[in-house]
Amino acid sequence: MLTMVMHIRLDSSIYKYLLILIALSLAPGCKTIAKQNNTGVVVARRAQIRSSTAVVAADLLEVDRGQQVDILDFQDVQDPSDNTKKERWLRVQAHDGDSTEGWIESRNVMPDDVLQASIKLAEEDKGIPAQATGQLRASSNLRLTPDRSGNENIMMRLDSGSSFEIVGWKRVPKPKSSEVIESDVAPKAGSAQQGNTRGNKENQDENEPEESNEVWYKVHLPSLASPAPAGWIYGKQVELTVPSDIIFYRTGREFVAWQRLDGDSSTEADGSKGKDVAREAKPGSWVILEKSSSDQPHTIGEPDFDRIYVLGYDKRDQEHYTAYRSPDLKGYLPCRIEAGPDNKTFTIRVQDESGQVNDVQYSVYKDGRGYLKVNAPNVANKDKKKK
């Protein structure tokens, strides 16, 4: 009997000892995983790490855009201004000298996995130059996908007036919940519930055709504006910033894309320029892609532009002139400019009469008097030969 009791006590001691060993071995691993995988970057210009989620909580540390924090935990808190909403807060540890721990609103922090997804999105456009530039009409969401039916794909909120490069766009069907999410004026990212933003419907132009789809812009952002290098923005929030050098030559058709032919052909949007993003240092020659306005609803897959306009610049007379204006066509982005030893070329995608889309190259050169000329392939004749 005594032997049996001793065995039971011994087994119990061994069991407790094994539990302690397992707990000790797992604890460092969990802590390492939390630090390696649950990190984030601050996306707000400035934000406060606070002692709690309460309105009267003390500010412990101010963090700036681009700083990293470790995400330790989260909590959904009732929005004091709206009983129907909850705000998500993160418990974080800063990388300052004191390793400050506290609470910060989730909309101010982008998790590392979301940042990596944005970097991957930017890598998809490697080699594609900016097609245009734009800026925001109002504070809006930057999303991972062109879809505003929920909050799951929101990366961060961009400030009104934020500028960016546009590398492409696409039309997608309107979400079925469009009556609830009428615009993409940014709610707080990470909100536990979706807000109702029907107010903007009243501001729509009554003359606009009823659309069953919507346009989204794929953008690249300067590091000053966003740690995330790329994302999607709802088209109604975007104002195209046509350079002041060429905006007065826009007659009858809209400019949807443009690239310089002389000097630096980049249209990089510097976040420090703010409202002056469309201002160019000096006038020059441009390839401009135009699209006719229409009172008919847009369709998914429709051409991006229907005419090419090449604008030359005479440095001696300090004035622009029309170097080339194409006949109507069905063109698709991107437009790529390449410099050769004696001339430049630009390549676009054009749909022929059979419906096939092919790359078409245009050669740009200067004649004996120094005026810009375009050697354009006769796309129409090629199509007729195929009949």
Side-chain angles (χ1 to χ4, degrees):
M1 181 70 177
L2 180 61
T3 306
M4 185 181 297
V5 172
M6 289 179 64
H7 275 297
I8 293 172
R9 287 180 178 175
L10 182 61
D11 290 343
S12 176
S13 299
I14 293 173
Y15 180 73
K16 289 179 180 179
Y17 180 71
L18 287 174
L19 285 178
I20 292 171
L21 284 178
I22 292 170
L24 289 174
S25 64
L26 287 177
C30 291
K31 190 173 182 181
T32 304
I33 290 171
K35 284 189 175 293
Q36 287 180 347
N37 295 338
N38 295 322
T39 60
V41 60
V42 177
V43 295
R45 288 184 179 179
R46 293 181 185 84
Q48 297 291 336
I49 295 178
R50 314 189 74 197
S51 59
S52 74
T53 62
V55 177
V56 294
D59 293 337
L60 302 179
L61 179 69
E62 184 175 88
V63 287
D64 299 322
R65 180 177 290 159
Q67 289 184 250
Q68 284 193 327
V69 293
D70 296 324
I71 301 172
L72 308 177
D73 198 0
F74 71 89
Q75 183 179 345
D76 291 330
V77 180
Q78 194 75 48
D79 187 339
S81 62
D82 189 341
N83 293 331
T84 65
K85 294 182 183 179
K86 288 186 177 181
E87 296 178 6
R88 175 155 293 184
W89 286 71
L90 305 175
R91 188 167 71 85
V92 299
Q93 183 178 70
H95 292 185
D96 63 330
D98 298 326
S99 297
T100 303
E101 285 191 23
W103 292 87
I104 188 172
E105 290 179 275
S106 66
R107 65 190 175 104
N108 294 323
V109 176
M110 181 183 298
D112 185 65
D113 58 341
V114 176
L115 177 60
Q116 295 306 315
S118 176
I119 292 172
K120 185 177 180 180
L121 198 64
E123 290 173 350
E124 294 175 357
D125 308 312
K126 193 173 182 179
I128 298 178
Q131 304 295 298
T133 53
Q135 66 184 24
L136 286 179
R137 305 176 191 271
S139 176
S140 304
N141 288 325
L142 178 70
R143 296 179 180 261
L144 276 172
T145 55
D147 177 12
R148 59 191 178 97
S149 59
N151 283 348
E152 296 78 10
N153 62 348
I154 296 176
M155 287 189 280
M156 64 177 290
R157 179 168 59 188
L158 294 173
D159 297 333
S160 175
S162 295
S163 57
F164 38 79
E165 294 179 339
I166 296 172
V167 294
W169 54 81
K170 68 185 298 185
R171 289 191 173 275
V172 300
K174 277 187 176 180
K176 293 180 181 179
S177 56
S178 59
E179 287 188 358
V180 176
I181 311 169
E182 189 57 39
S183 72
D184 208 33
V185 175
K188 295 177 179 178
S191 297
Q193 295 185 18
Q194 190 80 45
N196 187 328
T197 55
R198 299 181 60 179
N200 279 20
K201 188 172 183 179
E202 298 175 359
N203 299 326
Q204 290 181 354
D205 188 346
E206 294 180 358
N207 295 323
E208 288 185 4
E210 184 66 27
E211 299 282 1
S212 60
N213 57 76
E214 56 193 24
V215 66
W216 285 75
Y217 290 99
K218 192 176 187 182
V219 304
H220 286 181
L221 296 129
S223 58
L224 288 175
S226 165
W232 290 89
I233 299 177
Y234 178 43
K236 282 200 171 182
Q237 300 298 90
V238 176
E239 178 183 0
L240 296 183
T241 51
V242 180
S244 57
D245 181 25
I246 61 176
I247 193 169
F248 297 107
Y249 299 95
R250 185 175 58 184
T251 56
R253 304 193 191 199
E254 292 298 315
F255 289 180
V256 297
W258 52 86
Q259 291 187 59
R260 285 191 73 126
L261 279 167
D262 52 353
D264 182 8
S265 61
S266 172
T267 57
E268 183 176 359
D270 184 349
S272 64
K273 291 181 181 178
K275 298 290 184 180
D276 295 329
V277 67
R279 187 174 297 169
E280 293 294 325
K282 58 183 180 179
S285 300
W286 297 81
V287 175
I288 303 165
L289 305 179
E290 301 178 307
K291 187 167 187 177
S292 304
S293 57
S294 173
D295 57 359
Q296 298 299 314
H298 294 285
T299 59
I300 293 176
E302 69 180 22
D304 295 320
F305 58 94
D306 53 32
R307 191 167 69 180
I308 304 167
Y309 180 24
V310 178
L311 194 64
Y313 181 71
D314 187 347
K315 293 182 179 179
R316 293 166 297 184
D317 296 335
Q318 296 186 358
E319 62 181 11
H320 287 95
Y321 58 91
T322 298
Y324 173 73
R325 185 175 274 126
S326 76
D328 286 355
L329 48 76
K330 295 179 180 179
Y332 296 86
L333 297 177
C335 174
R336 290 185 172 91
I337 296 178
E338 296 181 3
D342 301 318
N343 59 10
K344 284 190 175 183
T345 61
F346 64 89
T347 304
I348 59 171
R349 299 163 61 225
V350 177
Q351 180 178 323
D352 60 28
E353 292 183 357
S354 68
Q356 186 174 356
V357 179
N358 303 297
D359 286 346
V360 178
Q361 189 177 81
Y362 295 74
S363 177
V364 183
Y365 63 96
K366 288 186 177 180
D367 64 12
R369 298 183 299 166
Y371 286 99
L372 206 64
K373 299 290 182 181
V374 176
N375 183 10
N378 196 335
V379 178
N381 285 348
K382 287 183 180 179
D383 296 340
K384 289 177 182 178
K385 289 178 182 178
K386 291 180 182 179
K387 289 184 178 181

